[in-house]
Amino acid sequence: MKKEEDGSSNRELYALLHVSPEASDEEIRKAYRQWAQIYHPDKYQALQMKEVATDNFQRICQAYEILSDETKRQIYDIYGMEGLTSGLELGPKLNKAEEIKEELERLRRRREEEKTSAQFQPSGVILAQLSVPSFLAGHGIMRAMSMNSEIQSQISKNNVIAVGGTLAVKGNNGDAAANAVFRHQLSSVSSIEIMASAGLHGLIGLQTTRQLSRHASATMGLAMSLRDGSINLSNSWNRQLSTTSNGSIELILGSDSSVAVGWRKKEEKMAAAGEIRIGTSAIGAVARYTRRFSSKSHGRISGKLGSGALELEIGGGRKISNFSTVRMLYTIGIQGIYWKLELHRGAQKLVVPIFLSRHFNLGFATGAFLLPTSLYLMLKSLVFKPYYRTREKQQALEKMEQTHAQVQEAKAAAEKAQQLLQNVANRKRNKQSETGGLVIIEAVYGSPNALKSINNPEEKKDELASQIIDVTLPLNFLVTDSGQLKLHEGVKKSGIMGFCDPCPDETKKLYVKYTYSGNRYEVVVDDLQELVLPREEHRI
């Protein structure tokens, strides 16, 4: 549950009763009585009119029930209808807005936890290493293969269990391992993990994590190898350096002791990370930089430098669906030249490194880089872009058809609501016309582009006409006996009785042409803008 920045989505009930968000209890009660006189079902004998009146009367009663109750109104103003249907227990203990916010947040967290605990979270990696030189030598293209899988489940509010396994094959040799982790949340700032692994690298271990402050945390672990009985002790400290970056220090003591210093930074369109590690067996540094070019594509460059590694990797990826991403990387280093293909689908990953050559040759290295790049650009131009354009057009068409059906239904409901306003609106209009008061000649609400064609009949098209709704009648109904009309600021006009939203997710305006004291006036206002009639500046 999130509060809207402008709060306009939490003001539909105010628009329905035609009162200001700052309206007093007496103003709300008066508005309710006015609308109840119009829409009370007992006033109508015809079955169809009685059904329309009943539907709208129930809407008015619901709005009055919420806005006339101080606590319910506070919840509605903060979180809208979602807050009222969230299961919040109303009562005298929740009198302040801050208390209501805290209770709603607690309920939201509880629902999220229940949702998480009811689901399993699987993840896995399949690694298939291919070798072109081996294939050319007649020894087969598959160099090695491994599979890693894990399933995590929240078994209770504070307990999580994860079970996984690994299978690996290289040549005529194979390895297997199984592991299990149990995590318990000790408090809001600390947790403990018990882990065990069986197989070639069997071990048992214990790890605890604690939030030291708002920006710092520490982790300490102890693990014992079941193979040789060696013990490793690990300690790590993490510190948030800014809103977008954090740093870490890791110390490992044991058979392969090391110390590492790391840094990460993540922004909306950029991510970078680096680490320097000094150990008893090796010294090295790793750096990675990722740049997002659009919502669907990104580029990446990374490098490794150390006593046993010298490597540069460059490439990029593209999002092909809401849950899937493909990535192509080119690697060159002292261990040879590689291509790497990756497919990410949710928490599942397929990685295919393709070994091209162990020997460095400038011409071959350049060709190995240019070939996939050229192939990607050609496929992007001839295959990917046309495919995505076609798919986006199809999705837009499907959405348009769905939206059209919803809009037609909303328009039908608005027209039915207007039918019950007609007698009073016509009586008010005739009275204002006789006295030279405020008379709404024409009022249209909807898309700004469609409104532009109102005074140019030759430009009117069916598509534009479907994006507006005639609201002349409900505005004449809202004119007061003293000849004035006011639509409140910050309230979406689509919520007014007799109105609807003719173009969802688009900007909307209201066009009004009216007469007053024998003069003609015209005005256009934004959806959330206040409208007060008559005004001399509207005069034509």
Side-chain angles (χ1 to χ4, degrees):
M1 260 178 288
K2 292 183 181 180
K3 181 181 176 180
E4 297 290 334
E5 291 183 2
D6 59 3
S8 59
S9 64
N10 299 342
R11 294 178 179 178
E12 183 178 347
L13 298 184
Y14 293 102
L16 186 64
L17 293 183
H18 190 56
V19 294
S20 167
E22 291 75 35
S24 64
D25 292 343
E26 180 59 34
E27 289 172 329
I28 292 174
R29 190 178 301 109
K30 182 179 179 181
Y32 165 71
R33 289 172 178 170
Q34 179 187 17
W35 289 110
Q37 289 177 359
I38 300 297
Y39 286 106
H40 200 288
D42 293 345
K43 293 187 60 178
Y44 303 94
Q45 300 299 323
L47 181 60
Q48 183 180 2
M49 300 295 282
K50 184 180 286 290
E51 290 177 352
V52 173
T54 300
D55 292 341
N56 287 284
F57 184 70
Q58 290 175 349
R59 293 173 61 200
I60 294 166
C61 289
Q62 181 190 41
Y64 177 68
E65 179 187 355
I66 293 170
L67 298 184
S68 61
D69 185 292
E70 182 180 358
T71 304
K72 289 183 179 180
R73 184 176 177 180
Q74 284 184 354
I75 296 173
Y76 177 76
D77 288 345
I78 298 169
Y79 287 110
M81 293 302 296
E82 184 183 3
L84 294 168
T85 58
S86 64
L88 181 68
E89 297 178 0
L90 303 173
K93 294 182 179 180
L94 298 176
N95 293 324
K96 297 180 180 179
E98 292 78 9
E99 295 174 347
I100 296 172
K101 287 182 181 180
E102 291 176 1
E103 181 68 7
L104 286 168
E105 288 298 329
R106 185 187 66 80
L107 290 169
R108 180 184 61 81
R109 288 194 300 268
R110 187 176 68 183
R111 287 200 305 274
E112 289 179 351
E113 290 170 356
E114 291 173 351
K115 183 178 178 180
T116 301
S117 63
Q119 296 179 348
F120 288 98
Q121 300 178 20
S123 61
V125 178
I126 298 177
L127 177 66
Q129 299 183 26
L130 308 182
S131 174
V132 174
S134 177
F135 175 74
L136 295 177
H139 302 304
I141 196 170
M142 185 66 70
R143 191 179 185 184
M145 187 170 185
S146 66
M147 292 185 294
N148 178 278
S149 182
E150 182 181 86
I151 297 178
Q152 179 176 296
S153 177
Q154 182 128 12
I155 57 178
S156 67
K157 181 179 179 181
N158 297 320
N159 298 315
V160 176
I161 188 171
V163 180
T166 301
L167 293 173
V169 177
K170 185 174 183 180
N172 296 323
N173 300 318
D175 294 332
N179 58 77
V181 177
F182 174 76
R183 183 182 303 113
H184 176 68
Q185 193 74 29
L186 298 173
S187 68
S188 60
V189 296
S190 63
S191 64
I192 187 171
E193 290 184 10
I194 301 173
M195 61 195 77
S197 177
L200 185 63
H201 302 289
L203 60 83
I204 56 173
L206 181 69
Q207 179 174 287
T208 180
T209 301
R210 183 173 181 82
Q211 193 77 25
L212 302 177
S213 67
R214 183 179 178 183
H215 301 292
S217 64
T219 301
M220 183 176 69
L222 181 67
M224 184 181 74
S225 172
L226 299 179
R227 184 180 180 185
D228 56 13
S230 60
I231 296 177
N232 285 336
L233 176 66
S234 64
N235 291 273
S236 66
W237 299 267
N238 292 276
R239 173 77 182 182
Q240 184 178 347
L241 305 176
S242 68
T243 55
T244 59
S245 63
N246 62 78
S248 63
I249 299 175
E250 183 182 53
L251 175 64
I252 299 177
L253 300 175
S255 57
D256 189 11
S257 300
S258 66
V259 60
V261 178
W263 170 83
R264 291 177 182 272
K265 184 178 180 67
K266 186 174 183 180
E267 297 179 349
E268 183 179 358
K269 293 187 176 182
M270 182 274 290
E275 183 184 81
I276 299 175
R277 182 175 294 273
I278 302 174
T280 55
S281 59
I283 299 175
V286 179
R288 182 174 67 250
Y289 176 82
T290 303
R291 180 74 179 181
R292 196 175 76 174
F293 302 121
S294 67
S295 60
K296 293 184 177 180
S297 62
H298 67 273
R300 191 176 83 176
I301 182 171
S302 63
K304 294 181 181 179
L305 176 64
S307 55
L310 177 60
E311 184 178 281
L312 176 66
E313 186 176 73
I314 186 170
R318 184 174 181 85
K319 190 174 183 180
I320 57 176
S321 71
N322 291 334
F323 304 102
S324 301
T325 301
V326 293
R327 185 178 293 152
M328 172 69 184
L329 301 167
Y330 170 77
T331 305
I332 183 171
I334 59 176
Q335 295 185 353
I337 301 172
Y338 289 83
W339 287 338
K340 185 187 290 185
L341 304 175
E342 295 182 4
L343 171 62
H344 299 248
R345 173 72 179 177
Q348 310 295 325
K349 185 190 299 185
L350 172 64
V351 182
V352 184
I354 305 175
F355 178 61
L356 301 176
S357 175
R358 187 173 299 278
H359 306 289
F360 178 78
N361 179 284
L362 182 59
F364 181 82
T366 304
F369 174 74
L370 293 177
L371 178 62
T373 304
S374 303
L375 180 62
Y376 169 74
L377 293 175
M378 183 176 67
L379 291 174
K380 180 181 178 181
S381 177
L382 300 178
V383 179
F384 297 147
K385 276 192 174 181
Y387 168 74
Y388 283 118
R389 273 197 223 101
T390 303
R391 192 176 73 167
E392 287 173 358
K393 287 181 180 179
Q394 181 65 28
Q395 290 175 343
L397 182 62
E398 292 175 357
K399 183 178 180 181
M400 187 182 300
E401 292 175 352
Q402 182 181 8
T403 302
H404 178 72
Q406 295 173 347
V407 168
Q408 292 302 110
E409 184 179 348
K411 280 188 173 182
E415 289 172 0
K416 290 179 180 179
Q418 289 186 19
Q419 291 177 10
L420 304 187
L421 299 177
Q422 188 169 2
N423 291 336
V424 178
N426 289 340
R427 187 165 63 247
K428 284 188 173 184
R429 175 170 178 160
N430 293 336
K431 181 179 178 181
Q432 293 294 324
S433 181
E434 292 172 0
T435 59
L438 176 61
V439 176
I440 309 298
I441 299 174
E442 182 180 13
V444 181
Y445 173 70
S447 167
N449 292 330
L451 294 180
K452 292 178 182 178
S453 65
I454 291 176
N455 296 323
N456 299 300
E458 66 277 3
E459 294 183 8
K460 287 188 177 180
K461 299 180 181 178
D462 292 339
E463 183 179 350
L464 292 177
S466 66
Q467 298 178 8
I468 57 177
I469 179 174
D470 190 317
V471 292
T472 307
L473 193 147
L475 287 190
N476 273 310
F477 174 84
L478 294 176
V479 174
T480 64
D481 293 338
S482 59
Q484 293 184 338
L485 173 64
K486 181 178 181 180
L487 302 183
H488 301 287
E489 183 179 4
V491 179
K492 288 184 178 180
K493 296 172 178 57
S494 58
I496 299 174
M497 187 66 78
F499 280 57
C500 74
D501 188 345
C503 47
D505 302 324
E506 294 185 21
T507 302
K508 287 167 280 291
K509 291 180 180 289
L510 173 64
Y511 165 82
V512 183
K513 183 186 291 185
Y514 63 97
T515 60
Y516 184 76
S517 298
N519 298 315
R520 298 175 70 87
Y521 300 80
E522 189 178 56
V523 62
V524 178
V525 293
D526 293 333
D527 197 13
L528 300 177
Q529 185 179 347
E530 182 185 59
L531 174 65
V532 178
L533 304 181
R535 285 285 177 87
E536 187 61 29
E537 57 264 30
H538 301 161
R539 188 169 177 177
I540 302 176

